[in-house]
């Protein structure tokens, strides 16, 4: 029995509205939220005063109003989360786009055309990174191992990070000078708010854009327009404004998009820590000593 009521709510697929979230929570004492899919706002918390413990996978959750939770007496805890899986999915998307792996594999499987495309070389190409934190630095190292030149958007980080890349003078210059641009900045970091139509217009027609960070970093309609008009060669996407994407959405159907449902963090090791440490945190909270409390 978890508490006097003994009610735990695990939220994997977010209800779409505040009213729906309030109804779904019911009289839960404990909420386990998966990544940043579920906005936990001050308004929601005020309508569920019985909530006592909120656990999120990872140690950062931009959708949780931690200050409001603390003010209401709700303890917010996190779990470990590993950056390597996001790096791996980033390179899966880059390689898939540059070497046309999906159309070639589909053609082979369906007895279609044999060797119908010419792949693009990574060696000697320029990789532009918007964000060189834990994930971006690892993406840069792999790009350099492929023989790519690596640039990043802003020289505002420490010297060890800066030593690994060249610095573009602006976001527009970064996009204009790169064959592949990969986004790794989370929302809220000091940077231009979004990649908009003007920024996309800077990209060479043969360039590809990769986003495994946050959908809000890109003007989705501007991206769809650029892809539809073939003003850029392609996009590799693991995050979207709407999840799941509606049936027939352009990002499901455009031939120059390689997209996956969010898989960047979906690996066995991450899930072991998310859910194993979530259970561990509940047990520790029941003993009066919660672990990994967020500030």
């Amino acid at each position: 029995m978890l508490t006097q009521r003994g009610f735990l709510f695990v939220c994997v697929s977010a209800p779409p509205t505040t009213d729906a979230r309030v109804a779904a929570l019911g009289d839960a004492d404990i909420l386990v939220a998966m990544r940043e899919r579920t906005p936990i706002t001050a308004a929601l918390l005020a309508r569920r005063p019985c909530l006592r413990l909120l656990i999120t996978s990872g140690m950062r959750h931009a959708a949780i109003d931690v200050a409001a939770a603390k003010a209401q007496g709700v303890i917010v805890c996190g779990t470990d989360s590993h950056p390597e899986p996001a790096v791996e999915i980033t390179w899966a998307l880059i390689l898939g786009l540059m070497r046309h792996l999906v159309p070639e594999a589909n053609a082979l499987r369906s007895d279609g055309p044999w060797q119908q495309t010419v792949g693009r070389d990574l060696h000697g190409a320029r990789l532009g990174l918007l964000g060189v934190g834990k994930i971006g630095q690892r993406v840069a190292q792999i790009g350099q191992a492929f023989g790519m030149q690596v640039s990043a958007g802003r020289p505002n980080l420490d010297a060890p990070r800066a030593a690994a890349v060249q610095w573009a003078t602006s976001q527009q210059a970064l996009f204009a000078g790169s064959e592949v641009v990969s986004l790794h900045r989370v929302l809220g970091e000091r940077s231009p708010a979004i990649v908009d139509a003007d920024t996309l217009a800077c990209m060479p027609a043969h360039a590809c854009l990769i986003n495994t960070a946050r959908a809000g970093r890109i003007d989705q309609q501007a991206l769809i327009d650029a892809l539809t008009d073939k003003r850029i060669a392609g996009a590799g996407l693991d995050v979207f404004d709407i999840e799941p994407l509606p049936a027939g959405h352009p990002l499901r159907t455009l031939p120059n998009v390689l997209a996956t449902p969010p898989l960047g963090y979906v690996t066995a090791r991450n899930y072991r820590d998310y859910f194993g440490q979530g259970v561990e945190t509940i047990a520790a909270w029941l003993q009066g000593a919660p672990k990994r409390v967020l500030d």
Side-chain angles (χ1 to χ4, degrees):
M1 185 171 182
L2 293 174
T3 66
Q4 187 174 1
R5 284 183 301 277
F7 188 23
L8 166 69
F9 180 66
V10 178
C11 185
V12 176
S13 181
T17 66
T18 297
D19 286 344
R21 291 176 203 122
V22 169
L25 273 169
D27 292 328
D29 300 285
I30 303 169
L31 169 63
V32 181
M34 188 66 176
R35 302 298 292 166
E36 295 179 357
R37 298 178 180 180
T38 314
I40 309 297
T41 62
L44 184 150
L45 291 164
R47 294 171 63 181
R48 279 293 173 256
C50 53
L51 191 64
R52 290 290 173 264
L53 175 65
L54 205 169
I55 302 170
T56 176
S57 53
M59 290 300 291
R60 173 166 48 189
H61 197 307
I64 293 177
D65 189 332
V66 176
K70 291 174 66 177
Q72 190 169 301
V74 179
I75 296 173
V76 184
C77 298
T79 70
D80 289 340
S81 183
H82 305 288
E84 293 84 6
V87 177
E88 293 162 5
I89 198 71
T90 296
W91 279 103
L93 292 171
I94 293 172
L95 289 166
L97 277 172
M98 297 291 277
R99 300 301 295 270
H100 310 289
L101 293 185
V102 172
E104 290 288 5
N106 287 343
L108 187 148
R109 185 182 295 275
S110 62
D111 296 327
W114 185 262
Q115 197 177 12
Q116 61 185 323
T117 63
V118 176
R120 297 277 311 286
D121 295 278
L122 293 179
H123 185 87
R126 183 171 294 279
L127 170 64
L129 298 176
L130 197 61
V132 282
K134 289 189 299 182
I135 295 172
Q137 288 181 74
R138 289 169 168 83
V139 172
Q141 291 167 356
I142 294 171
Q144 290 165 341
F146 276 122
M148 300 183 78
Q149 304 171 64
V150 180
S151 296
R154 276 161 48 92
N156 63 342
L157 299 174
D158 55 63
R161 293 182 186 180
V165 300
Q166 301 173 31
W167 296 106
T169 55
S170 67
Q171 180 168 294
Q172 288 72 23
L174 178 73
F175 277 67
S178 302
E179 280 81 12
V180 179
V181 177
S182 189
L183 276 57
H184 300 288
R185 274 199 185 130
V186 301
L187 292 172
E189 288 187 8
R190 296 188 304 273
S191 66
I194 59 171
V195 175
D196 57 15
D198 290 340
T199 304
L200 291 170
C202 296
M203 296 182 73
H206 62 271
C208 293
L209 179 64
I210 310 296
N211 189 12
T212 60
R214 298 293 185 274
R217 277 289 176 208
I218 302 177
D219 181 329
Q220 297 287 289
Q221 189 56 54
L223 176 60
I224 290 169
D225 292 344
L227 291 164
T228 300
D229 297 340
K230 298 183 179 179
R231 285 183 270 116
I232 63 173
L237 305 172
D238 185 60
V239 289
F240 309 92
D241 278 351
I242 305 170
E243 296 179 5
L245 278 177
H249 191 282
L251 295 178
R252 283 185 181 264
T253 59
L254 281 166
N256 50 356
V257 173
L258 177 57
T260 60
L263 297 179
Y265 59 86
V266 182
T267 65
R269 182 169 63 135
N270 263 340
Y271 269 39
R272 279 195 301 269
D273 285 345
Y274 291 166
F275 298 113
Q277 291 181 12
V279 172
E280 176 187 68
T281 295
I282 293 170
W285 174 74
L286 290 172
Q287 297 298 317
K291 296 185 176 183
R292 292 173 293 272
V293 177
L294 301 186
D295 296 328

